Amino acid sequence: MLANYFSNGLHLKTAIVSSCYDDAFDRIKEEVQTCKVKNYAGSRKGFSYKGIDFFSGVREGFVHVITEYYDVVIVEVNLADMKDRLADGLRDVMSCECRVLVGSMVPWKYGECIKRLGRIRRLYSIKNTPVVSMTWEEKRAKSMEREFELKAYKAPMQMDPFEMNGEAVMMLKRVVT
């Protein structure tokens, strides 16, 4: 949704980069008509869809190489998979101008989400960092905001993130401004 907001809402040249293998990217390629990324040497690892360039399984430093080609580069990092390498995974994220964390507030994931925020806070300041969750629970969100001095946002459920309603657009605008 965030890439769609930047690309099709604000009309900024947008890329999403995932350093690990992202099967969601593969599923997009299987389900819809995609194009090759144009005018970029690393395009063999990427594809375009709805004005957004997707790159997965890229090497370290790739983001810095492509930033001159894009207005916005979204770095997707799954911190849950990086328990032992959290500092390495956070290095790319924390060097970004705008950071958005995605967390879960469902009872069976909320405890781990809080632990992860605590580990992140020990390495980097997360004060005022937005945390977005589709699994919203008001009491947990307020507790998270107080404990970590951040702002939690409820993300509306969108069946197709490339076709957002006004509520989703307004939430994304609040998160990134």
Side-chain angles (χ1 to χ4, degrees):
M1 284 190 333
L2 186 60
N4 187 30
Y5 173 73
F6 284 127
S7 179
N8 299 304
L10 300 180
H11 305 289
L12 299 171
K13 187 155 176 59
T14 305
I16 299 178
V17 177
S18 178
S19 58
C20 57
Y21 169 74
D22 191 322
D23 63 342
F25 289 7
D26 285 344
R27 286 194 302 267
I28 291 170
K29 282 173 61 174
E30 290 171 7
E31 296 292 325
V32 297
Q33 182 66 39
T34 61
C35 304
K36 291 184 178 181
V37 175
K38 295 179 181 162
N39 300 324
Y40 180 67
S43 63
R44 68 187 185 289
K45 291 192 174 198
F47 67 93
S48 293
Y49 178 64
K50 296 232 177 179
I52 303 163
D53 292 345
F54 293 80
F55 299 92
S56 68
V58 298
R59 66 188 183 285
E60 189 174 327
F62 182 79
V63 172
H64 301 293
V65 172
I66 67 166
T67 53
E68 67 186 76
Y69 297 97
Y70 296 94
D71 300 314
V72 175
V73 177
I74 298 170
V75 179
E76 178 192 64
V77 177
N78 185 346
L79 299 177
D81 295 340
M82 304 191 121
K83 289 182 179 169
D84 299 328
R85 302 173 299 123
L86 185 62
D88 294 337
L90 285 173
R91 190 175 314 117
D92 285 340
V93 173
M94 300 314 268
S95 68
C96 295
E97 289 177 39
C98 176
R99 294 176 296 278
V100 178
L101 299 173
V102 178
S104 179
M105 294 186 199
V106 295
W108 55 91
K109 290 186 178 181
Y110 180 73
E112 183 56 37
C113 181
I114 293 299
K115 287 179 192 174
R116 194 167 297 124
L117 287 173
R119 288 192 299 266
I120 293 169
R121 183 174 58 185
R122 283 192 290 278
L123 298 168
Y124 294 97
S125 172
I126 57 172
K127 186 175 183 175
N128 298 320
T129 300
V131 174
V132 177
S133 180
M134 283 194 299
T135 54
W136 188 258
E137 205 283 318
E138 189 73 30
K139 192 167 134 182
R140 290 185 184 116
K142 294 297 179 200
S143 174
M144 185 185 291
E145 287 178 329
R146 278 191 308 276
E147 183 176 347
F148 296 100
E149 299 180 80
L150 45 75
K151 181 64 180 147
Y153 295 90
K154 179 182 180 183
M157 176 58 189
Q158 297 289 172
M159 291 306 291
D160 183 347
F162 298 104
E163 302 203 11
M164 296 184 294
N165 64 26
E167 180 186 6
V169 171
M170 294 308 295
M171 181 274 303
L172 290 168
K173 184 177 181 181
R174 285 192 309 272
V175 168
V176 298
T177 56

